[in-house]
């Protein structure tokens, strides 16, 4: 008899973490590595947010809080969702979690049972299928097409549905492709979900990073019926450069929120107390950091796009959000893991294999790094492509 749960034994390691850890090892050994694999802003957390957490710590915010989070933070999240997303929630529908990753995981734990199917459009964020497998559910991977902007179509959604389908996961803006669904596209997908009351896990962690007139839309805002089927996930890591703070949240219909809260009651209890006060400041304080970061990333996005379009044997769909490019490398004749291994070991450029996201003919690079690193990294990537 195995001592490890079959559900856990079936999990695959995170390739995104594996690549970044290998790059860190090489740097620690004194090698120059050009990191295009990262998934976090390189900027520091804004000073006003840090000071709010420091003040809370100095004032004794060191004890347990309600498992769903302090009331001022949950109210600030409600106010933000109303202001930015046209969504009306009450604090009892909000659960503050240790990052949006945990918010996704507990939402899935609260709703998915053994043998339930969850539709996941590919390319997908690496952890979604594993979260479904942890609870005994079945991830149903639907391959999207570059010609459709890497977006799930209503026809693909409907074709993937079975009587066991319980949930669909929609990520907009998307990691790894940078795709952003329009209001009309979300309405069309919502119509399919409503036909069979399919739950929607809406991961919106990159909502602030949309470019050149692109508009982020929350699917839960489009109708009362969709609101009642949707669990909206968001957090502070990307928009406020607070990755290490581990702060995210879910907003859900009351019965689902109650179930998520009970999971936290019996697992992590609550998020770091004084960090929650920093999150209150993030939502209620000066928001210029977001627009400044978006402007900076848009400049880098345009630069990387112009470079990639000129590199032979690769192709890319222009991303409208997040801070990634998902590059079709099929013409190079290498599977994504082999390609990224060679690129890292021989050219000292770190990128993420597309197989981590369900597509073995592509790689993901990030532009949340400096222009100097982007330039040198792309020079080396171009050299690699010309050599193959």
């Amino acid at each position: 008899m195995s001592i490890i749960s079959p559900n856990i034994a079936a999990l695959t390691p995170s390739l995104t973490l594996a690549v970044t850890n290998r790059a860190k090892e090489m740097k620690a050994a004194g090698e120059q590595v050009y990191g295009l694999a990262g998934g976090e802003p390189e900027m520091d957390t804004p000073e006003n947010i840090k000071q709010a957490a420091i003040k809370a710590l100095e004032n004794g915010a060191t004890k347990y809080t309600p498992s769903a989070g302090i009331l001022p933070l949950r109210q600030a999240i409600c106010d933000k969702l109303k202001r930015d997303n046209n969504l009306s929630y009450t604090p009892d529908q909000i659960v503050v979690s240790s990052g949006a990753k945990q918010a996704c995981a507990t939402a899935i734990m609260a709703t998915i049972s053994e043998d339930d199917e969850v539709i996941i459009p590919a390319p997908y964020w690496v952890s979604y299928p594993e979260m479904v497998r942890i609870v005994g559910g079945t991830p149903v991977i639907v391959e999207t097409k570059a010609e459709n902007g890497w977006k799930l179509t209503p026809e693909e959604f409907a074709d993937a549905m079975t009587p066991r389908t319980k949930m669909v996961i929609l990520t907009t803006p998307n990691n790894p492709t940078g795709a952003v669904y329009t209001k009309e596209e979300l309405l069309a997908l919502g119509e399919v979900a409503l036909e069979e009351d399919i739950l929607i896990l809406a991961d919106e962690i990159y909502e602030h990073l949309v470019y050149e007139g692109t508009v982020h839309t929350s699917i839960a805002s489009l109708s009362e019926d969709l609101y009642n089927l949707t669990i909206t996930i968001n957090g502070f890591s990307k928009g406020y450069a607070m990755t290490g703070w581990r702060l995210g949240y879910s907003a859900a219909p009351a019965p689902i929120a109650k179930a998520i809260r009970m999971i936290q009651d019996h697992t992590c209890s609550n998020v770091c107390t004084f960090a929650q006060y920093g999150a209150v400041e993030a939502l209620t304080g000066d928001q210029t950091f977001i627009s400044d970061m978006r402007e900076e990333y848009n400049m880098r996005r345009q630069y990387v796009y112009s470079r990639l379009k000129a590199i032979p044997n690769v192709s890319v769909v222009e991303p409208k959000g997040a801070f990634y490019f998902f590059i079709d490398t099929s013409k190079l004749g290498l599977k994504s893991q082999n390609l990224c291994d060679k690129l890292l070991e021989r050219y000292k450029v770190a990128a993420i294999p597309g197989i981590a996201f369900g597509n073995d003919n592509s790689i993901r690079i990030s532009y949340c790094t400096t222009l100097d690193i982007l330039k040198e990294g792309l020079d080396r990537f171009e050299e690699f492509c010309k050599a193959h």
Side-chain angles (χ1 to χ4, degrees), residues 188-298:
L189 292 171
E191 288 180 6
V192 179
L194 288 170
E195 289 176 5
E196 300 294 338
D197 290 335
I198 306 301
L199 292 172
I200 301 167
L201 186 68
D203 187 346
E204 303 183 358
I205 187 66
Y206 292 95
E207 70 160 332
H208 292 301
L209 297 173
V210 291
Y211 310 109
E212 296 184 345
T214 302
V215 176
H216 167 73
T217 300
S218 294
I219 191 169
S221 71
L222 298 180
S223 74
E224 182 178 357
D225 289 337
L226 286 171
Y227 175 95
N228 291 327
L229 284 178
T230 301
I231 307 165
T232 299
I233 305 294
N234 212 321
F236 300 83
S237 294
K238 313 302 181 181
Y240 296 97
M242 295 171 67
T243 52
W245 293 62
R246 307 316 305 135
L247 287 164
Y249 58 87
S250 58
I256 296 176
K258 180 179 179 181
I260 294 171
R261 187 168 63 248
M262 285 195 293
I263 293 170
Q264 290 204 174
D265 284 347
H266 295 292
T267 52
C268 67
S269 293
N270 64 269
V271 173
C272 172
T273 299
F274 51 88
Q276 294 186 55
Y277 288 90
V280 172
E281 173 62 22
L283 293 179
T284 61
D286 186 359
Q287 302 294 298
T288 56
F289 174 82
I290 293 175
S291 57
D292 290 347
M293 180 170 63
R294 182 167 54 238
E295 182 177 343
E296 175 65 24
Y297 281 154
N298 187 38

Side-chain angles (χ1 to χ4, degrees), residues 99-119:
K101 179 181 281 189
Q102 189 198 18
C104 289
T106 52
I108 289 169
M109 291 173 66
T111 55
I112 301 303
S113 304
E114 194 85 19
D115 296 326
D116 283 342
E117 292 181 350
V118 178
I119 293 175

